[in-house]
């Protein structure tokens, strides 16, 4: 009897040590939000890029296989996604749910690896911002087949019915806000307009451009603006509504691929081929903050450019500083806190067996995906303190020259 008792005690000790070993979780220091792309640490590997596991509300890190929510973001190379990572970690910890956040580093193959890794860990809800909307369909279907609910985050997953919900900002409204800002700054006619867009693999790039075109096109048709860097856009300048193929033709000529260097090189090439008469006081539709800064730097360096008005979006720290310094005209604040909270609320509702709130739907070429788009705010030098600092989005200490 005594012998059996000690054997049982030994077995319990072995199991306890094994469970403790399973609870060990690797961590990685997050990149700073306002670091330049070269300053951020980019993992040189095709393996899934992992952040630390989000702890439960009690401060404990869950054992492997106990994550309720898996999150996959596109890259650590853009400050926007570092913002999202930070907001997700804070909000999930506060909500008391376990999650792991992975980065795909611009690779659809790594993205699929990430999803498979999360499925193996037993997630019940996947929140994924696809690198390529169409390519992400396979990963979404694999998650669906494993019984995992799929939330498409910020960008829509295309060409599959394996999407349960879409959390996004009103992307068409973003483009409209950018274009309206340009229109509101107009004095005179015949003003040079340079168009730039996001990646053709990103459905949002089309929605942004659709919104911008709806506002700009009447002002192009009446001669207020003159397009200087897209023959495709010039050929369609009298058409108020464009088909997706027509937008694809324009975006193909002016895509930045959401890449700083691509944006800078394209802007410099446009300026090199443009005459002095095509410069002067110019208006620039730039798709997001990172590309806006690169494009602004290129136009500022051209001596034939007298002044420029350039748009942006995401309210990145570096671009808020550019706005304060007068080097970027505006940005569209998409409050990531709202988007993250909407995503978490949807995930928790799904975990509890419910259906998330729906206020709209977006067609992904197969189904109409239920969605809840959030509002956006235009920010420039006039309201930057109110919109960014007073709202608590950033701290004043992160900037210089703020009045």
């Amino acid at each position: 009897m005594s012998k059996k008792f000690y054997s049982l005690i030994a077995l319990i000790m072995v199991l306890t040590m094994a469970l403790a070993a399973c609870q060990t979780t690797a961590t990685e220091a997050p990149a700073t939000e306002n670091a330049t792309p070269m300053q951020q640490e980019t993992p040189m590997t095709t393996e899934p890029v992992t952040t630390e596991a989000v702890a439960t509300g009690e401060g404990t890190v869950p054992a492997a296989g106990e994550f309720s929510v898996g999150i996959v973001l596109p890259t650590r190379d853009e400050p926007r996604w570092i913002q999202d990572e930070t907001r997700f970690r804070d909000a999930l910890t506060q909500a008391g749910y376990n999650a792991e956040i992975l980065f795909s580093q611009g690779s659809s193959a790594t993205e699929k690896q990430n999803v498979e890794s999360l499925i193996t860990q037993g997630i019940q809800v996947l929140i994924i911002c696809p690198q390529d909307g169409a390519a992400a369909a396979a990963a979404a279907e694999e998650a669906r087949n494993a019984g995992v609910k799929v939330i498409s985050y910020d960008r829509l997953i295309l060409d599959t019915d394996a999407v349960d919900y879409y959390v996004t900002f009103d992307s068409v409204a973003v483009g409209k806000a950018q274009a309206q800002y340009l229109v509101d700054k107009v004095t005179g006619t015949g003003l040079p307009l340079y168009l730039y867009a996001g990646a053709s693999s990103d459905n949002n790039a089309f929605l942004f451009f659709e919104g911008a075109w709806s506002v700009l096109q009447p002002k192009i048709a009446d001669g207020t603006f003159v397009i200087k860097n897209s023959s495709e856009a010039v050929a369609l300048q009298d058409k108020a509504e464009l088909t997706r193929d027509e937008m694809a033709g324009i975006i193909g000529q002016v895509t930045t691929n959401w890449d700083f260097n691509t944006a800078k090189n394209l802007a410099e090439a446009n300026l090199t081929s443009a005459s002095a008469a095509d410069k002067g006081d110019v208006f620039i539709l730039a798709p997001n903050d990172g590309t806006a800064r690169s494009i602004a730097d290129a136009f500022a360096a051209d001596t034939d450019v007298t002044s420029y008005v350039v748009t942006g979006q995401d309210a990145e720290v570096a671009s808020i500083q550019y706005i304060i310094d007068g080097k970027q005209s505006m940005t569209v604040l998409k409050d990531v806190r709202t988007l993250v909270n909407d995503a978490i609320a949807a995930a928790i509702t799904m975990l509890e067996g419910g259906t998330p709130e729906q206020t709209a739907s977006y067609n992904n070429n197969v189904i109409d995906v239920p969605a809840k788009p959030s509002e956006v705010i235009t920010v420039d030098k006039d309201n930057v303190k109110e919109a960014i600092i007073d709202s608590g989005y950033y701290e004043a200490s992160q900037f210089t020259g703020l009045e």
Side-chain angles (χ1 to χ4, degrees), residues 75-388:
T75 179
R76 291 190 72 111
D77 292 347
E78 295 177 28
R80 158 63 202 279
W81 303 115
I82 302 301
Q83 286 188 52
D84 289 60
E85 176 196 15
T86 301
R87 306 293 189 189
F88 265 121
R89 188 185 296 116
D90 292 345
L92 281 164
T93 299
Q94 184 175 358
Y97 278 83
N98 306 330
E100 187 170 12
I101 305 173
L102 305 179
F103 285 85
S104 301
Q105 290 307 104
S107 165
S108 293
T110 303
E111 179 177 82
K112 191 167 184 291
Q113 268 188 318
N114 285 338
V115 172
E116 290 168 348
S117 173
L118 292 169
I119 292 170
T120 300
Q121 294 184 64
I123 63 165
Q124 296 170 270
V125 177
L126 171 67
I127 299 173
I128 176 172
C129 180
Q131 169 64 27
D132 179 312
E141 288 165 4
E142 193 164 343
R144 167 68 65 81
N145 292 337
V148 175
K149 295 289 187 180
V150 177
I151 297 174
S152 196
Y153 179 78
D154 194 58
R155 300 173 181 172
L156 185 59
I157 299 171
L158 303 174
D159 304 331
T160 180
D161 64 356
V163 186
D164 295 288
Y165 195 66
Y166 182 31
V167 176
T168 186
F169 293 102
D170 187 337
S171 298
V172 173
V174 171
K176 286 182 176 181
Q178 292 174 327
Q180 191 61 53
Y181 193 88
L182 296 178
V183 169
D184 290 345
K185 296 299 178 181
V186 162
T187 54
T189 60
L191 301 166
L193 176 65
Y194 289 80
L195 303 173
Y196 297 95
S200 58
S201 61
D202 180 1
N203 188 62
N204 278 359
F206 287 83
L207 297 176
F208 298 145
F209 194 83
E210 176 188 337
W213 186 261
S214 70
V215 175
L216 292 174
Q217 188 275 332
K219 292 298 182 180
I220 296 168
D222 72 9
T224 300
F225 290 124
V226 180
I227 300 168
K228 296 298 182 181
N229 68 329
S230 171
S231 59
E232 293 281 345
V234 170
L236 295 164
Q237 65 183 13
D238 293 324
K239 190 170 181 182
E241 294 186 15
L242 303 178
T243 66
R244 189 176 180 90
D245 286 345
E246 288 169 339
M247 282 193 285
I250 298 172
I251 292 172
Q253 285 188 326
V254 300
T255 181
T256 63
N257 206 34
W258 300 127
D259 178 73
F260 310 119
N261 291 325
T262 300
K264 183 174 183 290
N265 292 338
L266 180 58
E268 289 175 344
N270 291 159
L271 289 167
T272 298
S273 61
S275 66
D278 293 333
K279 299 176 186 177
D281 298 318
V282 303
F283 292 76
I284 308 163
L285 179 71
N288 73 343
D289 281 349
T291 59
R293 296 193 300 275
S294 295
I295 292 167
D297 289 345
F299 275 80
D302 192 303
T303 56
D304 291 325
V305 174
T306 308
S307 69
Y308 63 83
V309 180
V310 61
T311 64
Q313 69 166 303
D314 293 333
E316 293 179 0
V317 168
S319 277
I320 296 301
Q321 187 64 60
Y322 259 50
I323 289 171
I324 294 168
D325 295 341
K327 296 193 289 185
Q328 182 175 325
S329 308
M330 63 86 76
T331 187
V332 178
L333 170 62
K334 304 186 303 184
D335 194 327
V336 174
R337 294 171 299 184
T338 301
L339 197 66
V340 165
N341 287 336
D342 286 347
I344 292 171
I348 292 173
T349 299
M350 289 175 174
L351 287 169
E352 294 175 348
T355 302
E357 178 186 0
Q358 176 182 350
T359 59
S361 64
Y362 290 78
N363 189 276
N364 74 345
N365 302 328
V366 175
I367 61 169
D368 291 326
V369 182
K372 184 190 175 186
S374 300
E375 294 182 357
V376 298
I377 301 169
T378 297
V379 179
D380 66 4
K381 201 167 186 176
D382 292 337
N383 72 335
V384 65
K385 184 176 183 297
E386 176 187 359
I388 299 298

Side-chain angles (χ1 to χ4, degrees), residues 21-29 50-54 61-62 67 100-101:
C22 288
Q23 287 180 311
T24 303
T25 304
T27 62
E28 173 185 301
T50 312
T51 71
E52 63 183 283
V54 179
V61 178
F67 294 114
E100 187 170 12
I101 305 173

